[in-house]
DNA sequence: TTGTAGGCGTTATCAA
DNA sequence: TTGATAACGCCTACAA
C-alpha cells in the first residue's frame, strides 16, 4: 500500500528543502517559476494533500464542528443536522456527529473526546439524563477552555451560552387553540416527565391556552409517558378513565401511538378524538389518518445554530453576551384534526 | 477564558522538565513517588487532558472511524450507526459521522476531508449518485493510502474490500414466497431504479420466487419509483392499470405510501391488497395497518462492519484477502399481510 | 531564490 | 531519578 505523501517526501525526491516545497505549493512569489512548476507537477502526480492533523496542531483550530445529539433515530434531530451541514459546509467547516443516546455519561465522554483537539466548538441538544440530573459541569469546562457552545432544542438556563429554540410555548398554545376553535371540549395533554425543557414549555402553552379560553385545567387530563418505554398500556388506561375529544401530544411518536390506541378502541380520528403532535416527520405524514403537527423547522434551527457558532469562532473579540434565538413554529394541519 | 493546559505549562509551573511531567502522568517507575504525586495532583487540579491532535500526529493514528452514509433521515442507517457506535466505543474508537446526501461530490469531499488525518478507516454505504455513475476512484485512492474501508448495504463489486450486506435476494425471495403461500395471485414489485445494488438483488429474489412457484414474471408488475420524488401519482396509476392482490416494496416508505394509496382507492389492506416492505422501522410499526417488513438488522450490520474495520486496523500483517459478510434477514409479520 | 530554525503537544530514547 | 533531544507534518520569520 502506498503511504500518504508528505512535504518531506517531495523535498527529498526533488532535492530541495521542505520550506521550498511548502512555498511552491502555495504558489509563493518567492520561488522561481521553474521550481514551482516542477514541485507542483510532482505533488499533483503523487496526489499530495496537506495533513489536517498537522495543520490543526499548528493552527490550533480544526475547522470541525462537533454536534452531539441525544438520539440519531429521530427525524427532528436528523433534520437539524442537515441544516448544520448545509450551513457549515458552505463556510468551510466539517461536521462531526456524536450520539449521546440520552445518557449523561456518554454525553460527557463524547464531549471530552471531541474537545481534546477534534473540534473548535459544539452544537448540542442535552440528553434526557443530563436534563434530569441537572449536571452541566462538562458544558462549563468546555466553555472555560475557550470552545464556544450552542445549545438547541433541549437547553438549560443554567448555562450561559448561545441557544436556538422554537417557541415551544407558543406552538403548544396555537395547537391547543386550534382544538378549542374546532369545538373540542375536553382536551388532554400527552407529555413526558417534565425535566425535559421542551415538555414543560409545551405544557405551559397548553395550560395558558385553556385558561385564556375559560377551559378548566385539570391534572387528570395530563398524562406523563415514559420517553423510552413504548408500552401503550398507560394510553389505553387513560382513554378508559377519561372521556376526551382531543389530545395534544408533545412529540410525534406519542401522537402516532395515540392514533393507534384510539382506533383499536373502535373510535375514529378525528371524528371522536382529534390529535395533534409535535415534529413534522415522516410518521406524521404517512400515518393513517395523517397527523396534524407543530413543525419545529429543524433545518432552520440547524442552520441558525451553525451560524451562531461559526460567527463566534471567527469573531475577534470575545464578547460575553450570548443570544437566544427563538424560531417560530408552524401548525401543519392534516387529517387527525377537523379542518 | 482559561486556555487548555499542556505538559509545558505544568512543567514550567512545577519547575521540572516536560518529559518528567509526561512520565509522571503515565505513572512511570522512573519518577520518584514525591514528584509523581506532586505532578499528578497539579494535573488533576487543572484538569489536564492530553491533546488528541498531538497524539494523532505522533502516533500516526487517530482512533477515529469515519462513517459516511447517504442520508441521515433514515431509520436503517441510523440503526447501523448505533451498532457501529456500540462496538467501536467498546474498543476505544470514536465514531465520526458524515452525510453524503446521496451526492457523489459530497461523498468525495467528505472522504477526502476525513482521509486527511481525521480517521484511520472508513465504514460507508454508497450514495445513489455514486452507484449510478459507477465512479469509485475516491474509494481506491483512500485504500491506496492504506486506509481500510468496509462497505455496507450499498456495495459494489468494483471495489475489493471488506463488505457487510444482508441476503437481499433471499429476503425478497422469502417475502414473495410468503405472499404466494398466502394465496396471492398477482404480486407486484415496487422498486427503485436498478442502479441501486440492493434493489436489483431484491428484484432477483422476487423474480426467482415467482419462477420457482410457477408464477409468471411480468415487467408490467414491476413499478420503478423515484427515490427522491415523493409523488404518489405513479402508484395510483399503477393500481388503476394493474389488478394486483399483493405488492413487495423494496423499502419502507414505498410500503407506507402504497398502503395509503390503496386505502384512498377504497380498498382494504390486507384483504384486498397485501403489502410487504423492507426495513423494520417506526413507520412500519406505527402505520395503520402496520406493515409486514423484512428486517435488515441494521444494528448487527453496524457492529459487524465496525469489527471488520477495527480488526483490520489493528492487525499486523496486511492481508489482502477481503471478506463479504452476509447477514440473514428476517420477515416481521404484521397487519399488512394475512397471517 | 532558497534554506534554516523554531514551534504546535506529545512521547521515546538516551544522556546526565 | 530527571532532563535534553528528536520526531510526527506543517508553516513562517528570518538568514543566506
Amino acid at each position: 500500500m502506498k503511504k500518504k505523501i508528505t512535504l518531506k517526501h517531495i523535498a527529498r525526491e526533488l532535492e530541495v528543502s521542505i520550506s521550498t516545497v511548502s512555498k511552491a505549493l502555495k504558489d509563493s512569489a518567492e520561488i522561481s517559476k521553474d521550481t514551482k512548476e516542477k514541485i507542483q507537477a510532482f505533488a499533483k502526480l503523487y496526489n499530495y494533500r496537506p495533513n489536517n492533523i498537522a495543520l490543526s496542531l499548528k493552527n490550533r483550530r480544526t475547522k470541525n464542528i462537533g454536534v452531539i445529539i441525544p438520539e440519531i433515530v429521530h427525524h427532528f434531530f436528523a433534520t437539524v443536522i442537515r441544516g448544520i451541514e448545509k450551513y457549515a459546509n458552505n463556510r468551510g467547516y466539517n461536521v462531526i456527529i456524536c450520539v449521546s443516546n440520552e445518557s449523561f455519561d456518554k454525553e460527557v465522554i463524547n464531549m471530552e473526546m471531541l474537545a481534546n483537539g477534534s473540534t473548535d466548538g459544539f452544537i448540542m441538544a442535552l440528553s434526557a439524563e443530563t436534563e434530569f440530573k441537572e449536571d452541566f459541569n462538562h458544558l462549563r469546562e468546555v466553555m472555560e477552555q475557550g470552545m464556544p457552545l450552542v445549545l438547541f432544542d433541549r437547553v438549560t438556563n443554567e448555562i450561559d451560552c448561545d441557544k436556538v429554540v422554537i417557541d415551544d410555548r407558543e406552538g403548544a398554545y396555537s395547537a391547543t387553540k386550534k382544538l378549542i376553535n374546532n369545538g373540542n371540549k375536553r382536551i388532554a395533554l400527552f407529555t413526558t416527565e417534565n425535566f425535559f425543557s421542551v415538555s414543560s414549555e409545551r405544557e405551559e402553552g397548553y395550560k395558558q391556552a385553556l385558561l385564556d379560553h375559560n377551559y378548566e385545567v385539570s391534572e387528570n387530563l395530563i398524562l406523563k409517558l415514559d420517553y423510552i418505554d413504548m408500552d401503550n398500556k398507560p394510553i389505553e388506561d387513560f382513554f378508559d378513565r377519561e372521556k376526551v375529544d382531543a389530545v395534544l401530544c408533545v412529540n410525534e411518536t406519542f401522537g402516532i401511538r395515540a392514533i393507534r390506541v384510539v382506533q383499536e378502541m373502535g373510535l375514529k380520528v378525528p371524528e371522536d378524538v382529534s390529535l395533534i403532535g409535535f415534529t413534522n416527520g415522516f410518521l406524521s405524514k404517512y400515518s393513517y389518518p395523517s397527523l396534524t403537527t407543530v413543525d419545529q423547522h429543524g433545518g432552520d434551527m440547524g442552520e441558525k445554530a451553525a451560524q451562531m457558532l461559526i460567527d463566534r469562532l471567527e469573531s475577534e473579540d470575545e464578547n460575553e453576551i450570548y443570544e437566544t434565538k427563538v424560531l417560530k413554529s408552524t401548525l401543519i394541519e392534516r387529517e387527525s384534526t377537523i379542518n
Side-chain angles (χ1 to χ4, degrees), chain A residues 236-275:
Chain A
E236 289 162 17
D237 291 347
F238 178 87
F239 281 118
D240 282 341
R241 195 171 67 231
E242 300 290 340
K243 180 93 191 111
V244 301
D245 56 7
V247 184
L248 173 65
C249 302
V250 297
N251 61 37
E252 190 168 46
T253 41
F254 288 0
I256 302 297
R257 286 164 59 193
I259 289 183
R260 271 284 57 188
V261 171
V262 168
Q263 287 170 332
E264 280 164 3
M265 293 174 74
L267 298 175
K268 300 204 107 187
V269 177
E271 292 82 352
D272 299 315
V273 181
S274 289
L275 288 163

Side-chain angles (χ1 to χ4, degrees), chain A residues 147 171 300 314:
Chain A
M147 313 188 74
D300 297 342
E314 298 189 349

